[in-house]
């Protein structure tokens, strides 16, 4: 009796393992489904067979997907919280989570896809033999971020792919990845993070092998006004994908509209840098927009705190002078007062010196 009790926790585990091994061998679909459901029922809530339950559930999800019911496949796979499994290898956990992400994305459950993606620590991809999973993860993140039109995140995802050893070893692959890094970076909204990444990417020596991409990137890094018509004419053919390449974001006309908006935003920042006051008509002419559209774009940048500006509608004047708060005014006044007192002291010293010299002479 004591011997049986000692082996009891292992016996059902071994039985479940043996049954799980039999699942792929069964050709009849109904029998396979029945066995999977029995195994899922038996293993529910039992920690010592959690790996086996996860594997048969994944098999069930594959069957549902093959039957063209991905919603069911996503639902059964979401039941598994594999990140909490203590006995499952890290690699297998990541594979399960990636599969959960893929099914959720295919069923258009984008919020859940985003939540599930947080379960994978990107530090895992720094280890050996993780490149295949790393590429799968970032390609899925690219699809998700493109859906949300988060172009800066897409650029970062492509940059991670670009920095992968297997991609770096093949010129065609790293060129395609670096091209996407540049294109999505210039499509991204301007902020400190985007500006910092642009500064880092432009120092990449491989960028010199992609002259058109290097030039268009430098356009957005230079404090000079850009002419949209000329820019589109020069780069419209060279920034699109060639035959056999993955689709470029600029293959879509809607992304050219986004790029045009980024050019306008860049020009507004340049004008804010060089002007303190400018008429609305001149401002609109420099942006190649009508006054109403120019005012709308300027207001958007003010709301995003990219530039500081005020519009005097009566006089039609835009002021880019940043308003100082009370503390800054007092500090400036105190600094000016100290400078004046120092000048008075120096003048007094020089007058006294002149008097003494005059008396001696």
């Amino acid at each position: 009796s004591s011997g049986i009790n000692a082996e009891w926790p292992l016996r059902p585990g071994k039985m479940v393992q043996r049954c799980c091994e039999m699942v792929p061998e069964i050709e009849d679909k109904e029998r396979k489904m029945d066995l999977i459901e029995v195994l899922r029922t038996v293993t529910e809530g039992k920690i010592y067979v959690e790996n086996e339950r996860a594997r048969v559930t994944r098999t069930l999800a594959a069957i549902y997907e093959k039957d063209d019911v991905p919603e069911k496949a996503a639902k059964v796979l979401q039941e598994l919280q594999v990140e909490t499994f203590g006995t499952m290898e890290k690699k297998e956990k990541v594979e399960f989570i990636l599969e959960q992400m893929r099914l959720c994305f295919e069923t258009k459950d984008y919020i859940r896809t985003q939540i599930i993606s947080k379960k994978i620590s990107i530090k895992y991809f720094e280890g050996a033999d993780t490149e295949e999973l790393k590429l799968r993860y970032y390609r899925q993140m690219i699809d998700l971020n493109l859906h949300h039109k988060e172009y800066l995140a897409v650029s970062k995802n492509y940059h991670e792919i670009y920095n992968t050893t297997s991609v770096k070893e093949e010129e065609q692959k790293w060129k395609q990845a670096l091209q996407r890094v540049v294109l999505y970076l210039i499509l991204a909204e301007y902020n400190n993070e985007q500006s910092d990444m642009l500064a880092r990417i432009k120092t990449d020596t491989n960028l010199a092998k992609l002259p058109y991409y290097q030039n268009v990137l430098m356009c957005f890094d230079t404090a000079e006004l850009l002419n949209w018509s000329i820019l589109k004419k020069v780069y419209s053919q060279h920034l699109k994908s060639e035959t056999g390449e993955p689709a470029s974001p600029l293959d879509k006309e809607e992304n050219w509209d986004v790029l045009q908006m980024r050019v306008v935003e860049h020009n507004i920042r340049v004008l804010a840098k060089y002007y303190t006051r400018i008429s609305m008509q001149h401002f609109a002419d420099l942006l190649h927009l009508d006054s109403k559209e120019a005012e709308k774009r300027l207001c958007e940048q003010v709301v995003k705190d990219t530039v500081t500006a005020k519009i005097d509608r009566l006089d039609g004047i835009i002021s880019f002078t940043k308003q100082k708060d009370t503390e800054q005014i007092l500090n400036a006044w105190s600094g000016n007062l100290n400078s004046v007192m120092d000048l008075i002291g120096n003048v007094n010293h020089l007058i006294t010196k002149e008097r003494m010299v005059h008396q001696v002479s």
Side-chain angles (χ1 to χ4, degrees), residues 42 56 69 91 95 120 154 162 165 181 207 241 244 255 272 347:
V42 169
V56 296
V69 278
K91 182 178 180 181
E95 288 176 344
I120 298 178
V154 175
Y162 167 71
T165 304
V181 171
L207 202 58
S241 58
N255 285 333
V347 170

Side-chain angles (χ1 to χ4, degrees), residues 12-22 39 48-49 52:
K14 289 182 178 180
M15 184 186 301
V16 168
Q17 289 175 3
R18 179 68 189 110
C19 291
C20 289
E21 292 172 0
M22 293 171 60
L39 288 171
Y48 58 91
V49 285
E52 285 72 18

Side-chain angles (χ1 to χ4, degrees), residues 264-275:
V264 172
E265 293 170 358
H266 168 82
N267 289 342
I268 291 173
R269 294 193 301 273
V270 172
L271 292 174
K273 181 177 180 179
Y274 291 115
Y275 284 87

Side-chain angles (χ1 to χ4, degrees), residues 193-204:
E193 198 173 2
Q194 189 264 2
S195 179
D196 177 67
M197 186 170 180
L198 190 148
R200 287 187 287 112
I201 295 300
K202 74 176 184 179
T203 60
D204 194 318

Side-chain angles (χ1 to χ4, degrees), residues 162-212:
Y162 167 71
N163 285 326
T164 305
T165 304
S166 60
V167 173
K168 284 271 192 176
E169 290 174 350
E170 296 187 38
E171 184 175 355
Q172 185 179 3
K173 288 185 177 180
W174 69 252
K175 278 187 175 181
Q176 290 173 1
L178 188 55
Q179 287 170 2
R180 302 300 176 264
V181 171
V182 172
L183 292 180
Y184 284 109
L185 186 58
I186 62 177
L187 287 174
E189 287 190 11
Y190 175 85
N191 54 37
N192 291 336
E193 198 173 2
Q194 189 264 2
S195 179
D196 177 67
M197 186 170 180
L198 190 148
R200 287 187 287 112
I201 295 300
K202 74 176 184 179
T203 60
D204 194 318
T205 54
N206 284 333
L207 202 58
K209 299 178 182 179
L210 302 169
Y212 285 101

Side-chain angles (χ1 to χ4, degrees), residues 313-328:
R313 288 180 175 273
L314 295 177
D315 295 332
I317 299 295
I318 302 171
S319 175
F320 288 108
T321 305
K322 190 172 184 179
Q323 186 177 4
K324 297 179 180 179
D325 57 30
T326 307
E327 185 177 353
Q328 288 176 322

Side-chain angles (χ1 to χ4, degrees), residues 2 25 57 81 83 92 108 225 261 266 278 299 324:
S2 60
E25 300 173 1
T57 302
Q81 306 298 324
E83 67 275 7
E92 191 173 4
K108 300 183 179 180
L225 293 175
M261 190 183 303
H266 168 82
I278 185 174
C299 291
K324 297 179 180 179

Side-chain angles (χ1 to χ4, degrees), residues 216-233:
V216 76
L217 187 68
M218 294 306 296
C219 287
F220 287 87
D221 189 53
T222 306
E224 296 179 2
L225 293 175
L226 300 177
N227 187 306
W228 167 246
S229 300
I230 295 175
L231 187 144
K232 186 174 183 181
K233 182 179 179 180

